[in-house]
Amino acid sequence: MYKISFMQEKAVVAMRKIRKAFPGVLALQDVDFTLRKGEIHALMGENGAGKSTLIKVLTGVYPKDFGQIYIDGTDKAATIKSPQEAQALGISPVYQEITLCPNLTVAENMFIGRGAYRFVNWGAMRKKAKDILDNLGIPARPAQQLANCSLAVQQMVAIARAIDMDCKALILDEPTSSLDDHEVAKLFTLMRGLKDRGVGIVFVTHFLEQVYEVCDRITVLRNGALIGEYDSNNLPRVELVSKMMGKELGDLSKIDRRETGLDFEGEPVYEAKGISSAAGVRPFNFQIRQGEVNGFTGLLGSGRSESVRAIFGADRITGGIVRVNGRKVKISKPIDAMKNGIGYLPEDRKNDGIIADLSVRDNIILALQVMKGFFRPFAKAQAQAFADEYIKALNIKTASADTPIKSLSGGNQQKVVLARWLLTHPMYLILDEPTRGIDIAVKVEIQKLVLKLAEEGMSITFISSELEEMLRTCSRLIVMRDRHVVGELKGDDMTQDKIMHTIAGGAAENG
């Protein structure tokens, strides 16, 4: 039996020799992980490294095959067979995909599952919820339906629920992926306050800057194995990336920034004048020429995603004129855009991108099948040929084309959705957060692919929450605030300072 010393760093959680296998995959190979009292500890690794599996073993979602888990520095191994048992031990997870109930109120979501529902003191519950929300600075009302809150506020309500349940170990799985800079700062203030009170925090993120801003230590996993545990101050960023990938890799800035002084000639392949939508996008003008990569940027809720949804017809267009290759067209629904050579990779991969229970092959051919018509299905051999071509071209890691897409890592799911649109050979491709929540290696692959497609003549609109990524990839940026276009930047004006100044002080265009 593997033994642990009682004095081992007074660990809130100590996981030793954890092993977990799935059919054909050894997901965790004798992994050790230690979370100390009053620290923020980053759990890092590429997609498929084993981070999620380790967290699910700790929280009782998956049974471990071997190993021990010790809580609060004791030398007696804990048995965690369910999330409820983990919660009783003070282990509270907040996952990237919000698991609250949108049809219930904020207060009900914060206290659901605690006590008999029919004996709830509703007034007391709402008062306590208000105290917690006010204390954390969360802009939500206890009686407000959660569905009416922004995604960012829903995320913070989930965190508020977790930390109110007497947690000793708070697990945050990509908590900042839907938050703007102001909300990230607020969350970090909250995390530091919890740290000062002795709470141990596991922080899972793909944002390297955030790791070095807030974390005390870093544990790196790769291919299910422990690579090492490090003090943040003693691990340079380039070394962290190298350890995650298993090979030498410089900073992401090694991707050559696209020449931003280019003047794209010729008629626009897509042009909109005064376009607005039912999602609240104010009338704006927009155009893109062949081979151009441009982007919409702005804070969370600025309207960048809503703008491209209007371009694609995913939201109802309420005004404006659209021309494709100089010809006036009507795009009132996505199929209209698709028939005019426009593709769209949506922001929400889980709900709007993949069809989880379908195979990789069926997900790849989906858009082309829609254009052809479902009553004229592709022969299986042809569908297989399409899938094989793009699995190879995009280096999609899957056992076969028959594998359900839900079994793939997030980065490989994103590649499948990208393959779906490339198969339609669009002249204009919209990519909304194509690198969110995926590992560094796949980020690099997608950025390079975007530039390669542009060099081959495809027009691309690229949206990312990471300004550095936008600056490396785009030759022109449309800046938004409050669903208005407030500026357009190119050339020497494309800097982080200029973007933030434009967001803060630009005057709205187009009314």
Side-chain angles (χ1 to χ4, degrees), residues 249-301:
L249 179 74
D251 190 83
L252 280 179
S253 61
K254 281 194 173 181
I255 299 177
D256 292 335
R257 176 174 171 179
R258 195 168 198 223
E259 179 58 54
T260 56
L262 296 176
D263 289 323
F264 292 90
E265 300 177 352
E267 291 297 317
V269 297
Y270 175 94
E271 182 178 20
K273 291 188 176 181
I275 189 173
S276 60
S277 80
V281 175
R282 312 290 180 85
F284 70 97
N285 300 332
F286 172 78
Q287 62 182 23
I288 187 168
R289 290 178 165 81
Q290 183 177 7
E292 181 183 4
V293 182
N294 64 25
F296 286 83
T297 188
L299 300 178
L300 186 73

Side-chain angles (χ1 to χ4, degrees), residues 22-144:
F22 300 100
V25 179
L26 183 57
L28 295 173
Q29 308 173 42
D30 298 332
V31 171
D32 291 351
F33 177 76
T34 303
L35 177 66
R36 299 172 185 166
K37 182 177 180 180
E39 76 163 350
I40 302 174
H41 193 136
L43 183 59
M44 303 291 289
E46 298 187 68
N47 289 101
K51 306 186 301 294
S52 295
T53 303
L54 189 68
I55 287 172
K56 288 178 179 178
V57 167
L58 176 59
T59 55
V61 176
Y62 292 156
K64 56 183 169 51
D65 297 333
F66 181 81
Q68 293 80 39
I69 302 174
Y70 303 88
I71 305 298
D72 276 347
T74 64
D75 57 1
K76 181 179 179 181
T79 300
I80 305 176
K81 295 182 178 180
S82 69
Q84 290 74 26
E85 291 184 1
Q87 190 74 64
L89 291 169
I91 301 168
S92 297
V94 177
Y95 295 110
Q96 178 182 6
E97 306 292 347
I98 298 171
T99 55
L100 300 180
C101 301
N103 58 312
L104 299 181
T105 67
V106 169
E108 288 169 335
N109 271 284
M110 291 175 65
F111 296 102
I112 191 171
R114 306 194 216 176
Y117 196 76
R118 59 183 174 176
F119 298 121
V120 170
N121 183 329
W122 297 100
M125 181 182 73
R126 290 189 181 117
K127 183 180 185 305
K128 185 175 181 182
K130 185 177 187 302
D131 290 342
I132 296 169
L133 295 169
D134 290 346
N135 185 46
L136 299 180
I138 299 174
R141 303 184 309 276
Q144 183 178 4

Side-chain angles (χ1 to χ4, degrees), residues 240-503:
L240 171 58
V241 174
S242 175
K243 292 178 186 301
M244 290 169 61
M245 298 189 67
K247 55 186 177 182
E248 292 301 320
L249 179 74
D251 190 83
L252 280 179
S253 61
K254 281 194 173 181
I255 299 177
D256 292 335
R257 176 174 171 179
R258 195 168 198 223
E259 179 58 54
T260 56
L262 296 176
D263 289 323
F264 292 90
E265 300 177 352
E267 291 297 317
V269 297
Y270 175 94
E271 182 178 20
K273 291 188 176 181
I275 189 173
S276 60
S277 80
V281 175
R282 312 290 180 85
F284 70 97
N285 300 332
F286 172 78
Q287 62 182 23
I288 187 168
R289 290 178 165 81
Q290 183 177 7
E292 181 183 4
V293 182
N294 64 25
F296 286 83
T297 188
L299 300 178
L300 186 73
S302 62
R304 59 196 187 197
S305 293
E306 290 82 359
S307 295
V308 294
R309 286 178 61 85
I311 291 171
F312 188 67
D315 292 332
R316 182 170 57 86
I317 294 176
T318 55
I321 297 172
V322 172
R323 287 186 172 86
V324 174
N325 289 323
R327 179 175 53 88
K328 186 176 178 180
V329 300
K330 182 178 181 181
I331 297 178
S332 57
K333 51 187 179 298
I335 190 63
D336 298 332
M338 293 162 65
K339 289 179 178 178
N340 280 284
I342 304 173
Y344 169 58
L345 187 148
E347 176 184 21
D348 190 339
R349 176 175 65 238
K350 180 181 177 182
N351 293 317
D352 298 333
I354 68 169
I355 300 182
D357 292 326
L358 292 185
S359 67
V360 170
R361 179 182 56 248
D362 289 341
N363 270 276
I364 287 176
I365 68 168
L366 183 61
L368 195 61
Q369 184 65 76
V370 168
M371 294 175 69
K372 184 179 181 182
F374 283 108
F375 294 107
R376 300 170 58 203
F378 288 108
K380 186 170 183 179
Q382 188 176 19
Q384 185 66 40
F386 287 146
D388 289 343
E389 177 185 357
Y390 283 93
I391 287 172
K392 181 179 179 180
L394 299 185
N395 191 27
I396 298 170
K397 294 179 181 178
T398 178
S400 75
D402 289 313
T403 301
I405 193 173
K406 64 184 177 184
S407 301
L408 274 58
S409 69
N412 283 295
Q413 289 178 4
Q414 195 74 305
K415 287 184 181 181
V416 170
V417 181
L418 185 55
R420 172 191 303 164
W421 291 109
L422 294 181
L423 180 58
T424 67
H425 300 288
M427 64 168 188
Y428 173 32
L429 181 61
I430 301 167
L431 302 175
D432 191 355
E433 295 285 5
T435 65
R436 172 184 286 174
I438 62 178
D439 64 61
I440 294 169
V442 181
K443 282 177 185 272
V444 173
E445 285 185 63
I446 290 178
Q447 290 172 28
K448 288 183 176 178
L449 177 62
V450 166
L451 298 180
K452 179 175 180 290
L453 292 170
E455 288 172 0
E456 294 172 353
M458 187 180 295
S459 305
I460 298 173
T461 291
F462 186 92
I463 295 177
S464 171
S465 298
E466 299 183 50
L467 289 183
E468 298 91 343
E469 192 172 40
M470 297 281 281
L471 292 171
R472 280 194 302 272
T473 309
C474 300
S475 56
R476 183 165 57 96
L477 291 178
I478 293 90
V479 185
M480 301 200 70
R481 185 185 70 238
D482 300 331
R483 305 199 176 182
H484 274 289
V485 172
V486 294
E488 182 177 307
L489 304 175
K490 61 181 179 179
D492 293 339
D493 285 336
M494 283 183 53
T495 65
Q496 291 195 43
D497 287 347
K498 187 67 174 179
I499 292 170
M500 298 310 297
H501 175 79
T502 305
I503 290 171

